[in-house]
Amino acid sequence: MSVETSDTVEPAAGGKQGTTSAGVKTTLAVLDLLAATAPLGLSEIARELGIAKSTLHRICAILVERGWAVRDSDGRFALGIRALRLGSSSADLPIVTAFRTVAAEFLTRHDETIALAVLDGGESLFIALEETSQPVRLVTHVGSKTPAFASASGRVVLASFPPAAVAARFGGQVLVTPTGRRLNGVPELQGILVEVRERGYAENWGDTAEGLYAVSAPVVNGEEVTIAALTTCVPVCRMTPERRELIVTDLRTLGATLSELIRWLPSFDARHS
């Protein structure tokens, strides 16, 4: 991750808009980092973001003063109560409200866990979840993350990216799934994504958890941008060829329904998040 290393830029004509913009970007970068990895000391934040410690000292002091961050006895920073309060509002997001509509229908038909995921950097993040009533289930929660290259939800979003963007994001990385399967680098990932594009959905067997089947359908807005993934996670012991066909068909149909419900939502540049 990198942002401007200075909190000043060339001011816009007639004002300080450029300076303010850079300060806002730096502040948001700090909050993003603390949300992903905390607690962190000032030196660690500076190293991760490539920002001068003097700049960060001023920003972090304001964040602490306003309750957006806290500082422990060792001088490390973490999110404060005002930042955490935003998470309690996530259930009211329009896309989550729309998700509940299709999730209820899926649970009635199949009684399997269904989730809504978005891309967060190189990971797939669950932002909404409705669980099965069955005792044998995937134990997960809102806020859970898995590598995008390994998960069905991540792959269905990545499939909408140009191949060059995928190569830029994952090139040079060792791609090992949570269950220990090592992909043959970006070429194998690109091959997987080609298949996802052709089929219109993504699925995997045991790549994110042993004995787990997962399938995801894209959620697309009015600009034809895949902004999320509708995904279900089912223990392999409950899967049969016939049941798989029914689940895939229903999930794709409900993904299309959810896409219609959120067509008005704008796109964000997830490719560079």
Side-chain angles (χ1 to χ4, degrees), residues 155-246:
R155 289 171 179 174
V156 86
V157 178
L158 289 175
S160 68
F161 286 24
V166 175
R169 172 159 294 189
F170 295 102
Q173 296 185 30
V174 178
L175 305 180
V176 180
T177 71
T179 53
R181 186 173 80 84
R182 180 167 179 162
L183 274 65
N184 186 23
V186 172
E188 182 177 352
L189 176 59
Q190 298 279 30
I192 292 171
L193 298 182
V194 167
E195 186 175 358
V196 172
R197 293 184 195 105
E198 292 174 347
R199 296 193 303 183
Y201 64 93
E203 63 182 344
N204 66 45
W205 299 80
D207 269 348
T208 53
E210 294 289 351
L212 185 73
Y213 168 77
V215 59
S216 295
V219 178
V220 182
N221 69 2
E223 300 171 358
E224 298 301 318
V225 174
T226 301
I227 62 173
L230 189 64
T231 186
T232 185
C233 305
V234 185
V236 171
C237 62
R238 289 203 292 270
M239 291 302 297
T240 63
E242 295 77 18
R243 191 161 192 247
R244 171 192 166 276
E245 184 174 349
L246 289 173

Side-chain angles (χ1 to χ4, degrees), residues 14 21 37 52 88 90 96-97 117 126 160 182 202-203 217 221-222 241 247 270 272:
S21 177
T37 310
S88 65
S90 63
V96 174
T97 302
F126 281 178
S160 68
R182 180 167 179 162
E203 63 182 344
N221 69 2
I247 285 177
H272 298 100

Side-chain angles (χ1 to χ4, degrees), residues 35-120:
T37 310
L40 292 172
L42 199 63
S43 296
E44 294 171 301
I45 298 173
R47 181 172 59 252
E48 185 70 22
L49 298 182
I51 299 173
K53 288 177 65 175
S54 59
T55 298
L56 288 173
H57 185 273
R58 293 193 299 273
I59 288 174
C60 289
I62 294 172
L63 290 175
V64 171
E65 178 185 343
R66 301 294 179 86
W68 290 95
V70 293
R71 188 176 185 181
D72 64 21
S73 58
D74 294 322
R76 298 176 302 176
F77 295 92
L79 291 180
I81 190 65
R82 293 189 71 180
L84 297 176
R85 192 167 62 194
L86 294 177
S88 65
S89 302
S90 63
D92 298 322
L93 292 173
I95 193 171
V96 174
T97 302
F99 160 77
R100 292 199 198 100
T101 301
V102 299
E105 187 172 345
F106 186 84
L107 284 168
T108 298
R109 293 181 183 178
H110 302 288
D111 192 17
E112 297 292 355
T113 296
I114 184 169
L116 184 68
V118 296
L119 202 64
D120 183 19

